[in-house]
Amino acid sequence: MHRRSTASGRLGRAANQPGVTGLVIGLVCVAIGSASMGLNSGVVVGRLLEGDERKRDSGFTLYYLGSTLGILIGVAATGPLQAAFGFHVGFGFAAITLIIGSLVYWPNRQAPHQAAPGPTDPISRSALTRLAAIALIGAALLAGVLVVGIPLGLNPAAVVAGIATIAAGGYFIRIFVSAKVQRTERVRVRRYLPAFLGTLLFCLLYQQLLTTIAIHSEAGTDRRIFGIEVPASSLLTAAPFCTIVLGFYLVYLWSRLGTRQPSPETKFAIGLAITGIAILALAVSAAVSASSPLWLVVLIVFAFGATDAIVSPTGISMATEVAPTAFKAQMLSLHYLSAAIGTSLAGVIAQIYLPGKNDASYFGALAIVTLAAAAAFLALRMLQRHRGVPALLAPVG
């Protein structure tokens, strides 16, 4: 009887996977699932939009709005459920919605393939098995490093950033040296490199909303409206809301402009410039006073949401457009790796931030780097026009 109860206790503990081990296993599984979903859906959208480049950016903006809307609904639903009933209910709700989504997709899964047929040279079963084995081994190694390293004080963000950087460099080298890639395709991939770095930087900046800006608004912002204090977490929901609102307008705008819409480099310059100005305003406010006004924080959050609607869909669209025929999915993987590197580096540099001590210098340094990147994108586009290089997706008017 004692052995049975002991075995039951061990089984229960194994099922719950408490502590760091359970957290790492859960995060790795979520990462694999979300990455697979994002890659496949992005490639399908790219094939659907082939042959109609005038509507490519508007189509990817609409595609990006779908994921952003899901994020907004998820945050709005799981947060209150977790607060009221605990983490089990919050995570359980997320799992149930995933099951519902799978049930909706399953009977309609052939529709995208009929509209956008797959490659004529599909991957063999043996190659697919090797790829699956490599992915599982890599995930196991990453999980092992995190499980062992976190208790020893290793920063998991630095580990993820390092692994993602090595993987991205390896993918780029493989594409540039592959005999399956033509010379013109290599030129187009080189054209994507600035967008890779721009996406990395933007993701690094966007994650400040969840780290340093959230901490600053929690401690240094008077969040009372008509005597009621607004939670700092509520301020952050304004970013995806603004992305959705502006995104629908951009879908219409890019579609209407067609070949007269700004080039991808110009869109990156605009997005990074808006972000840099917003962070600079926060730095100036922090230098003047320890408490930033609520309207300024809200405006900054809305600026981040607006630039997300400009930069993120443009980066996805550009990655799928320049992708060599033999590396369609890999190019989109590279794009998401740039986002992973930027997000991880955000966790690394956030350790420099000291609330109430170096707010102005920290945000000021971020603003200078961002504005310099925006100027570099604008200069790159001007140089391209001077040399007669057309825009990759849509020429500037």
Side-chain angles (χ1 to χ4, degrees):
M1 183 70 178
H2 175 70
R3 286 194 298 269
R4 181 179 300 177
S5 62
T6 302
S8 300
R10 290 176 180 173
L11 184 61
R13 287 194 295 272
N16 288 329
Q17 292 293 342
V20 175
T21 303
L23 175 63
V24 171
I25 292 175
L27 290 178
V28 169
C29 290
V30 169
I32 293 174
S34 60
S36 301
M37 179 68 183
L39 287 176
N40 284 284
S41 59
V43 172
V44 169
V45 172
R47 290 177 182 157
L48 287 170
L49 295 172
E50 284 181 355
D52 194 357
E53 305 306 328
R54 296 176 303 170
K55 297 183 178 180
R56 190 176 187 87
D57 273 16
S58 61
F60 270 101
T61 302
L62 186 60
Y63 160 75
Y64 187 72
L65 289 181
S67 61
T68 305
L69 183 60
I71 293 172
L72 184 61
I73 295 174
V75 171
T78 56
L81 287 174
Q82 179 273 322
F85 304 104
F87 283 102
H88 287 82
V89 175
F91 286 126
F93 174 80
I96 291 173
T97 56
L98 288 173
I99 293 173
I100 294 174
S102 299
L103 294 176
V104 172
Y105 170 77
W106 187 257
N108 302 295
R109 65 188 184 281
Q110 296 299 327
H113 297 285
Q114 295 169 358
T120 56
D121 186 19
I123 186 171
S124 64
R125 179 166 298 186
S126 60
L128 185 61
T129 302
R130 288 196 300 270
L131 289 175
I134 293 172
L136 289 176
I137 292 173
L141 289 175
L142 175 60
V145 171
L146 293 178
V147 168
V148 175
I150 290 177
L152 297 177
L154 183 66
N155 187 346
V159 175
V160 174
I163 294 176
T165 301
I166 294 173
Y171 261 122
F172 272 120
I173 293 174
R174 183 185 178 191
I175 291 174
F176 283 124
V177 302
S178 175
K180 297 180 181 180
V181 179
Q182 301 177 2
R183 180 180 177 277
T184 55
E185 292 178 325
R186 291 191 182 93
V187 172
R188 291 165 66 83
V189 173
R190 284 199 297 269
R191 178 78 178 275
Y192 167 74
L193 290 175
F196 179 89
L197 297 176
T199 300
L200 188 157
L201 176 60
F202 178 74
C203 289
L204 185 153
L205 297 170
Y206 194 87
Q207 291 304 314
Q208 303 302 313
L209 285 177
L210 307 177
T211 53
T212 57
I213 295 179
I215 295 172
H216 176 80
S217 60
E218 181 75 33
T221 301
D222 184 3
R223 292 174 279 105
R224 289 175 296 178
I225 300 179
F226 302 114
I228 302 176
E229 187 175 30
V230 179
S233 58
S234 299
L235 295 176
L236 302 181
T237 60
F241 176 77
C242 183
T243 300
I244 293 170
V245 173
L246 181 64
F248 281 111
Y249 171 73
L250 291 179
V251 170
Y252 169 79
L253 180 63
W254 301 150
S255 180
R256 289 283 296 178
L257 289 177
T259 56
R260 295 180 291 113
Q261 66 183 286
S263 69
E265 291 83 359
T266 304
K267 291 177 182 177
F268 268 94
I270 294 172
L272 291 174
I274 295 174
T275 306
I277 292 172
I279 299 177
L280 182 61
L282 184 61
V284 172
S285 174
V288 173
S289 174
S291 178
S292 298
L294 179 61
W295 65 265
L296 177 60
V297 176
V298 172
L299 188 62
I300 290 171
V301 172
F302 267 85
F304 271 82
T307 53
D308 187 30
I310 298 173
V311 173
S312 296
T314 301
I316 299 173
S317 175
M318 195 173 184
T320 57
E321 170 66 8
V322 304
T325 304
F327 293 93
K328 288 290 186 181
Q330 287 86 340
M331 278 302 302
L332 196 55
S333 297
L334 278 170
H335 177 77
Y336 287 128
L337 278 176
S338 69
I341 296 171
T343 302
S344 302
L345 289 179
V348 175
I349 69 169
Q351 296 179 318
I352 305 174
Y353 176 62
L354 301 174
K357 297 181 180 180
N358 66 344
D359 300 64
S361 59
Y362 179 85
F363 293 124
L366 287 178
I368 292 173
V369 172
T370 307
L371 292 174
F377 269 102
L378 189 59
L380 175 63
R381 183 55 198 150
M382 293 175 64
L383 179 62
Q384 291 171 349
R385 296 188 69 179
H386 177 71
R387 293 181 176 179
V389 178
L392 186 63
L393 304 181
V396 179

